[in-house]
Amino acid sequence: MDSVALLCTGALLAGGLYWFVCILGPAEQKGKRAVDLSGGSISAEKVQDKYKQYWSFFRRPKEIETTEKVPDFVDTFYNLVTDIYEWGWGQSFHFSPAIPGKSHRDATRLHEQMAVDLIDVKPGDRILDVGCGVGGPMRAIAAHSRAKVVGITINEYQVNRARMHNKKAGLDSLCEVVCGNFLEMPFADNSFDGAYSIEATCHAPKLEEVYAEIYRVLKPGALYVSYEWVTTDKYRAENPEHVEVIQGIERGDALPGLRSYTDIAETARKVGFEVVKERDLARPPSEPWWTRLKMGRISYWRNHIVITVLAALGIAPQGTVDVHEMLFKTADYLTKGGDTGIFSPMHMILCRKPPSAASES
């Protein structure tokens, strides 16, 4: 009888682990499986060391705003977190306002479609996705607009993931992915009919540099929209709690220093853009974007247990547990930033390259 009970217990544990990892684990039906978690382009035995290097670098964000090493460490960050993001969050690495009656996935798609609607592109237009990740927004935008989307990401592993997803979705004829630094883009002047960036340019040490590159590659008269990570008018630099929250976000998301909302339009105008519209999409009447983080706490704990077990068994690389713990703590800082209103991940700015720029080029 004891043997039967032991066998049944073992079967239940095995079945529970399978359900935990292979069924409950993936964020999306075509997402990453827990058993396939990796360090991106980093070999498994080097994940822990790379994490330590990353953490040492970004724990002092205000000291590195102008360093040339930032792009390399952003690349390292996305090697470390891409699989975890895909598995635990989905293929769109950004936030969106909650919409009553809509799933997180539907709210995300509507947020992405709004970006391309703002830049007023037509089917067949060639548009740029600045910091495309694994291409979740790219695919939603291409399917919605039928424009040809060219995405650029600094991370080669993300390029390969995005191309695979594009092919699976049957959108590879509309979606192209290029590996490169958005501070030095390998595109000709005046070659795009529009451009967008969704929570990506926050990784640039100087916003002026990436905006200048986007300005350069846009055709005269073309529109560009960005959803920027910013501190809001409620942030107080003399408040230690505010500072701790913002620095926690910076450390956990590979940011060389968050910008104030007042800096965005000023920077856009400085490089030559006309500012058409500017609005914080996180402000009321928008529903809170951070509720997904609050509601996901059980999922975070579940995922952390799964990753810990997989790392102990040698299935996931050593260091994956540390990376996930960092993201778990960062989620708390992001939630506090949303709750207090001192941080927004979706300060929207819509810009136009003046038609007169044609005579200047």
Side-chain angles (χ1 to χ4, degrees):
M1 193 68 178
D2 289 343
S3 298
V4 173
L6 189 62
L7 186 63
C8 290
T9 301
L12 282 171
L13 287 172
L17 183 61
Y18 175 80
W19 177 77
F20 224 48
V21 175
C22 299
I23 298 175
L24 192 61
E28 298 187 8
Q29 189 175 358
K30 297 181 181 179
K32 196 80 176 180
R33 295 187 309 157
V35 292
D36 295 326
L37 293 178
S38 73
S41 299
I42 301 170
S43 59
E45 67 274 11
K46 293 183 178 179
V47 169
Q48 191 134 41
D49 287 342
K50 286 292 185 180
Y51 166 75
K52 289 177 180 177
Q53 290 172 21
Y54 164 82
W55 188 248
S56 175
F57 185 72
F58 273 100
R59 68 185 175 188
R60 300 183 305 276
K62 291 298 181 185
E63 298 176 23
I64 59 173
E65 289 185 2
T66 59
T67 181
E68 295 178 355
K69 293 181 180 179
V70 170
D72 289 339
F73 276 94
V74 170
D75 183 30
T76 296
F77 173 77
Y78 279 111
N79 274 321
L80 294 171
V81 305
T82 290
D83 279 354
I84 294 174
Y85 276 2
E86 269 203 71
W87 173 57
W89 190 263
Q91 295 168 21
S92 294
F93 298 174
H94 63 81
F95 297 104
S96 60
I99 301 176
K102 297 284 186 182
S103 68
H104 295 308
R105 186 173 181 176
D106 288 342
T108 296
R109 294 295 173 262
L110 289 170
H111 192 57
E112 293 163 350
Q113 290 170 5
M114 182 176 68
V116 73
D117 289 343
L118 283 166
I119 60 174
D120 195 27
V121 299
K122 305 180 296 296
D125 280 353
R126 185 172 183 253
I127 62 175
L128 176 64
D129 182 329
V130 184
C132 65
V134 298
M138 169 191 294
R139 287 182 288 280
I141 283 169
H144 176 68
S145 67
R146 307 311 294 178
K148 295 182 178 178
V149 187
V150 179
I152 184 168
T153 172
I154 199 168
N155 185 260
E156 187 176 358
Y157 182 70
Q158 290 188 336
V159 170
N160 295 330
R161 293 292 296 168
R163 288 172 178 168
M164 181 271 291
H165 286 307
N166 292 345
K167 189 171 183 179
K168 277 189 175 181
L171 291 166
D172 47 331
S173 63
L174 290 176
C175 298
E176 178 187 348
V177 191
V178 174
C179 189
N181 184 346
F182 59 32
L183 301 177
E184 299 174 340
M185 292 193 282
F187 307 124
D189 295 356
N190 310 316
S191 56
F192 286 95
D193 299 297
Y196 65 88
S197 54
I198 300 179
E199 302 182 29
T201 54
C202 50
H203 292 298
K206 290 184 178 179
L207 189 62
E208 181 181 343
E209 293 180 354
V210 64
Y211 275 14
E213 270 294 271
I214 295 164
Y215 183 91
R216 177 183 68 80
V217 302
L218 281 177
K219 294 178 181 178
L223 292 165
Y224 163 61
V225 66
S226 183
Y227 298 163
E228 293 287 348
W229 282 32
V230 297
T231 56
T232 72
D233 56 353
K234 294 183 178 180
Y235 174 71
R236 298 290 178 267
E238 66 276 10
N239 186 322
E241 291 181 6
H242 286 191
V243 172
E244 180 187 358
V245 168
I246 296 305
Q247 289 187 350
I249 293 171
E250 291 168 343
R251 288 192 301 268
D253 284 296
L255 307 180
L258 271 166
R259 301 172 181 95
S260 168
Y261 75 102
T262 59
D263 296 336
I264 308 305
E266 180 183 347
T267 303
R269 292 189 181 98
K270 188 175 181 180
V271 304
F273 278 120
E274 298 170 351
V275 177
V276 178
K277 188 183 296 185
E278 186 179 21
R279 182 163 69 91
D280 188 350
L281 301 178
R283 287 187 179 274
S286 293
E287 295 290 325
W289 54 268
W290 62 94
T291 53
R292 186 177 179 187
L293 292 171
K294 280 187 172 180
M295 293 168 63
R297 289 191 66 82
I298 294 175
S299 296
Y300 281 121
W301 280 112
R302 176 204 69 203
N303 292 353
H304 198 65
I305 293 168
V306 171
I307 289 173
T308 302
V309 171
L310 292 176
L313 294 174
I315 297 172
Q318 292 298 318
T320 310
V321 176
D322 293 329
V323 175
H324 192 264
E325 185 176 356
M326 175 188 74
L327 296 178
F328 184 82
K329 290 177 180 177
T330 305
D332 271 345
Y333 284 121
L334 288 163
T335 301
K336 289 175 183 175
D339 270 333
T340 58
I342 65 172
F343 164 75
S344 172
M346 53 190 76
H347 184 90
M348 183 276 291
I349 184 166
L350 178 64
C351 307
R352 177 182 287 110
K353 183 173 181 176
S356 60
S359 59
E360 298 170 8
S361 54

